[in-house]
Amino acid sequence: MRIKNFEDFWSGMMFLAIGVLAIWESANYPFGTASRMGPGYFPTCLGGIMAVLGSIVALKAIESSSVAEHAKPAEGSPFAWKALTMLSLGFLLFGWGVDRIGFIPSLFALTVITAAAGSTFNIKEVLIMSVLLIAGSVGIFIYGVELPIPLFWWR
Amino acid sequence: MDFTLILQNLGLGFSTALSLVNLAYCFLGVLVGTLIGVLPGIGPVAAVAMLLPLTFNLDPVGAIIMLSGIYYGTQYGGSTTAILVNLPGESSSVITCIDGYAMARAGRAGPALAIAAIGSFFAGTVGTILVALLGPPLAEIALKFGAPEYFSLMVMALIAASVLSSGSMMKTICMIVLGLLVGIVGTDVNSGMSRFTFGMSGLADGIHFAVIAMGLFGFAEIASNLSDKADTAERTVLNQKITGLMPTYEDMKAASGAIFRGTAIGAFFGTLPGGGPTISAFSAYALEKKLAKDPSRFGKGAIEGVAAPESANNAAVQCAFITTLTLGIPHGATMALILGALTIQGIAPGPQVMTQRPDLFWGLIASMWIGNAMLVVLNLPLVGLWVKLLKVPYRFMFPSIMVFMAIGVYSVNNLDLDVYFTILFGVLGYLFLKLNCQPAPLILAFVLGPLMEENLRRALLISRGDPTVFFTRPISAGFLIAAILLLIIMIIPSFKKKREEAVASSEVL
């Protein structure tokens, strides 16, 4: 037994896991009958479909015979650990800060941190870009669309 | 058909669309659309989601005119970069690269751009007329739909979306079911029970579609581009002067047939739920190659190879409005977002919109035609400007997109939880990309999910739990039979092979 197609195998497993989780969670809601559906009816059905389809996708990705073609070597770009981490961190800080430390400081944090997700980081360039982006956003969103967001922590 | 009525309605439409404010929204929409189309790495879904907060304070007519302008504007912009830089701004312009770039290298960039714009404009005009003609009768039929019909229609739309999208069909169906499940998150309208909220009060109203769209299409896309080192890649822009914009008489003669056929194909796939601009462009190109007396010209700068796909993708986008507006069933991910924006404005999408808000329906139609005309002007004389824009390095672009997304997501509910959930969907979206799972059907299913559950519940309530109700009502049975036929076609080996070939060739490009 060997995995013929890694993409399909892992996506199948992921769907199977989500399906089982959905059924598990839906068990907390009344199921009802077909004519009087409870809140658990639809999600349980969906979870079931998902689990079955996921298993099929995963099983089809496994070759049982030993003459199986060689597994596709992992190709493409490497996993984007750095980009995902920096982008997430930027968003986290913005989400946390926007109502606490204000629009301008949290946007500053967001631009600088996300810019660091790229492969080059020139501090002068990033600062200029950050100032321009903040000025533009304040103009459009605070004065233009009048979003109710405080500019700074002193409001 | 009552012609005077249509003219009367179109009159109302033009008087709505020609108001100064709505003209400005239309212009803004197509301008942003062109921009998004030109810039690779950001598609219409993320763009519409990003600009959503800008529409909150608009009236519904202005909002939908602007958002629609973004959608069809991207089709024009996408062709510009395909021709000049061999880089499709949108997936629907991938096929235009082949002959468009070949023409540009042969010094015929001008005619290539012109024919793309002329073809798009012709297709846009036909598409607009089709919406005006087919919309009202379709809406009348749709008004007679009951719960079983709506449920079956949605099943068919979702199956069609999975058949017509690229990638493994089984995985796509899984993504659809996942989308339906995500749509359940929140308070159940019938029992008042919280489902899948895991104790988070911020989830009581469900997850907002802007959060999912920006996570799956914005955040994930940027992460993937960065790991591909897109930010340091050099973009080679053809530096020759574009001379002689107008195509010759021979060009026009060669292209006119292709424009007609491309428009027809685009209109067909556009009206079909689940079909879209990309598949239309590919089919139109394939047809031209098959019909040509000398197929070997294709790939070396055949003007039909530009005219057909560009007409097809624009016709498809315009015709997508037919089913979306009359049935209230969105036709793809972008349409789902536009309908979502209408819902925020307090307008429930569906056949009743046409009678209750005729200014909205006909105003949108008129604005689409005006917008198409604006796009020709925006794209031909200003082509130099767009090319310059392409030279903006990606390292400046992605932080700007992140800023717009962050503000957009937050402003939907003024809730930090939404920003955190965007991260979650961004990481998930990146995993989907890595595992080769298509995210577009997920968002379509997400929007349809609550409607589907509601109609299933109602249908079975009326029939006292008898599931045969979906097959004993003729219209409902028709939809389900169509869905089953689509599934059977997919299993037929020869078709399966064709589809895989098409998918493979689109990936090579």
Side-chain angles (χ1 to χ4, degrees):
Chain A
M1 255 190 32
R2 66 201 303 174
I3 298 170
K4 188 176 60 174
N5 184 333
F6 282 95
E7 280 172 4
D8 281 9
F9 179 75
W10 286 112
S11 47
M13 293 304 273
M14 173 182 74
F15 291 132
L16 175 62
I18 298 174
V20 170
L21 188 79
I23 299 174
W24 179 272
E25 178 64 23
S26 307
N28 299 330
Y29 318 131
F31 190 76
T33 60
S35 55
R36 295 230 168 266
M37 265 181 224
Y41 193 97
F42 195 56
T44 307
C45 296
L46 291 178
I49 296 173
M50 183 109 155
V52 171
L53 287 177
S55 323
I56 297 173
V57 171
L59 282 175
K60 274 172 75 183
I62 298 176
E63 196 92 330
S64 52
S65 71
S66 52
V67 283
E69 282 175 50
H70 288 288
K72 254 204 291 184
E75 24 62 84
S77 44
F79 196 84
W81 287 113
K82 184 187 161 198
L84 281 177
T85 312
M86 297 315 272
L87 296 179
S88 306
L89 196 64
F91 256 47
L92 260 177
L93 266 177
F94 177 84
W96 173 85
V98 67
D99 201 40
R100 292 184 177 84
I101 58 172
F103 192 64
I104 291 176
S106 46
L107 267 189
F108 181 72
L110 174 67
T111 45
V112 174
I113 293 172
T114 51
S119 32
T120 51
F121 187 85
N122 177 336
I123 187 72
K124 226 169 104 188
E125 229 176 55
V126 170
L127 285 179
I128 295 172
M129 176 180 72
S130 171
V131 168
L132 287 178
L133 277 174
I134 291 173
S137 311
V138 170
I140 297 173
F141 293 103
I142 304 294
Y143 293 105
V145 200
E146 296 177 351
L147 292 183
I149 303 175
L151 283 179
F152 287 101
W153 54 89
W154 61 82
R155 316 249 129 188
Chain B
M1 198 174 301
D2 196 348
F3 251 119
T4 48
L5 193 68
I6 287 182
L7 284 180
Q8 214 176 343
N9 284 328
L10 277 178
L12 170 71
F14 273 100
S15 68
T16 311
L18 282 173
S19 81
L20 208 58
V21 187
N22 287 336
L23 270 180
Y25 290 141
C26 183
F27 180 74
L28 197 66
V30 295
L31 185 73
V32 172
T34 311
L35 192 77
I36 301 296
V38 168
L39 297 173
I42 174 163
V45 183
V48 170
M50 257 164 49
L51 293 176
L52 210 61
L54 293 180
T55 66
F56 288 165
N57 292 342
L58 303 185
D59 73 315
V61 183
I64 195 171
I65 283 180
M66 186 170 97
L67 293 177
S68 312
I70 295 173
Y71 188 27
Y72 56 79
T74 50
Q75 304 305 322
Y76 279 78
S79 64
T80 309
T81 44
I83 291 167
L84 291 178
V85 202
N86 198 19
L87 205 103
E90 297 308 323
S91 59
S92 52
S93 298
V94 167
I95 202 91
T96 312
C97 287
I98 306 174
D99 282 285
Y101 189 60
M103 279 181 78
R105 269 197 319 205
R108 302 198 343 111
L113 288 168
I115 214 76
I118 293 169
S120 294
F121 181 69
F122 176 78
T125 309
V126 173
T128 309
I129 294 172
L130 282 177
V131 181
L133 288 181
L134 295 181
L138 245 171
E140 218 153 280
I141 299 173
L143 278 172
K144 299 197 182 86
F145 283 8
E149 282 78 18
Y150 263 111
F151 180 78
S152 304
L153 174 66
M154 286 185 263
V155 170
M156 186 191 76
L158 290 176
I159 298 280
S162 65
V163 171
L164 296 175
S165 80
S166 62
S168 146
M169 191 180 66
M170 284 283 254
K171 275 155 81 181
T172 312
I173 295 181
C174 284
M175 292 295 274
I176 285 174
V177 180
L178 182 57
L180 294 173
L181 275 171
V182 178
I184 285 174
V185 175
T187 311
D188 176 33
V189 280
N190 283 26
S191 61
M193 201 165 194
S194 295
R195 294 187 291 180
F196 295 135
T197 55
F198 302 99
M200 282 178 273
S201 61
L203 285 181
D205 289 331
I207 302 174
H208 198 273
F209 64 82
V211 170
I212 297 173
M214 287 196 242
L216 292 183
F217 292 90
F219 197 107
E221 203 68 46
I222 290 176
S224 158
N225 285 338
L226 287 178
S227 70
D228 288 340
K229 302 261 181 258
D231 53 334
T232 48
E234 283 284 316
R235 295 207 188 102
T236 45
V237 178
L238 272 185
N239 260 336
Q240 53 166 327
K241 261 240 168 293
I242 299 161
T243 47
L245 208 54
M246 275 331 281
T248 61
Y249 176 71
E250 278 74 42
D251 285 342
M252 286 305 289
K253 221 173 83 181
S256 58
I259 290 177
F260 276 113
R261 287 186 291 270
T263 303
I265 289 178
F268 173 72
F269 278 114
T271 322
L272 213 66
T278 308
I279 187 160
S280 312
F282 275 92
S283 315
Y285 187 85
L287 180 74
E288 288 310 312
K289 207 171 164 181
K290 209 160 252 171
L291 287 178
K293 285 193 199 105
D294 177 16
S296 67
R297 285 193 307 119
F298 281 80
K300 293 174 195 147
I303 199 158
E304 300 97 308
V306 178
E310 281 307 316
S311 314
N313 66 25
N314 206 41
V317 165
Q318 302 290 341
C319 290
F321 283 90
I322 298 177
T323 42
T324 306
L325 287 175
T326 53
L327 307 179
I329 305 287
H331 167 285
T334 322
M335 279 300 178
L337 294 192
I338 294 178
L339 281 196
L342 269 188
T343 318
I344 293 179
Q345 300 272 4
I347 292 179
Q352 72 285 349
V353 169
M354 209 172 296
T355 44
Q356 284 168 6
R357 291 297 304 264
D359 59 323
L360 188 132
F361 181 81
W362 295 101
L364 175 64
I365 290 176
S367 88
M368 292 199 305
W369 191 76
I370 298 168
N372 270 287
M374 285 181 185
L375 279 163
V376 175
V377 179
L378 271 178
N379 275 272
L380 291 184
L382 292 182
V383 72
L385 185 80
W386 302 120
V387 173
K388 274 214 190 73
L389 218 114
L390 262 179
K391 289 179 180 159
V392 174
Y394 193 65
R395 68 175 188 280
F396 296 131
M397 260 174 58
F398 78 85
S400 320
I401 299 174
M402 289 295 282
V403 163
F404 262 82
M405 287 201 317
I407 301 171
V409 164
Y410 180 78
S411 64
V412 171
N413 290 321
N414 285 327
L415 215 60
D416 53 352
L417 195 69
D418 284 343
V419 183
Y420 308 144
F421 266 96
T422 312
I423 303 175
L424 178 74
F425 279 98
V427 175
L428 256 179
Y430 183 74
L431 281 180
F432 291 153
L433 283 176
K434 275 279 172 201
L435 293 174
N436 207 2
C437 298
Q438 296 297 318
L442 186 152
I443 203 154
L444 180 62
F446 167 77
V447 173
L448 288 182
L451 280 173
M452 238 176 134
E453 181 179 13
E454 188 51 35
N455 282 298
L456 176 69
R457 197 194 305 248
R458 261 192 236 155
L460 289 182
L461 184 68
I462 301 164
S463 75
R464 298 205 185 84
D466 179 10
T468 54
V469 66
F470 297 110
F471 286 97
T472 47
R473 302 190 35 153
I475 299 176
S476 162
F479 288 139
L480 284 182
I481 289 167
I484 293 167
L485 280 178
L486 278 170
L487 281 176
I488 291 172
I489 289 174
M490 284 310 301
I491 302 168
I492 296 171
S494 66
F495 184 84
K496 206 174 158 193
K497 211 170 135 231
K498 263 255 158 65
R499 181 172 168 274
E500 274 158 11
E501 276 168 13
V503 171
S505 68
S506 73
E507 274 163 5
V508 168
L509 291 169

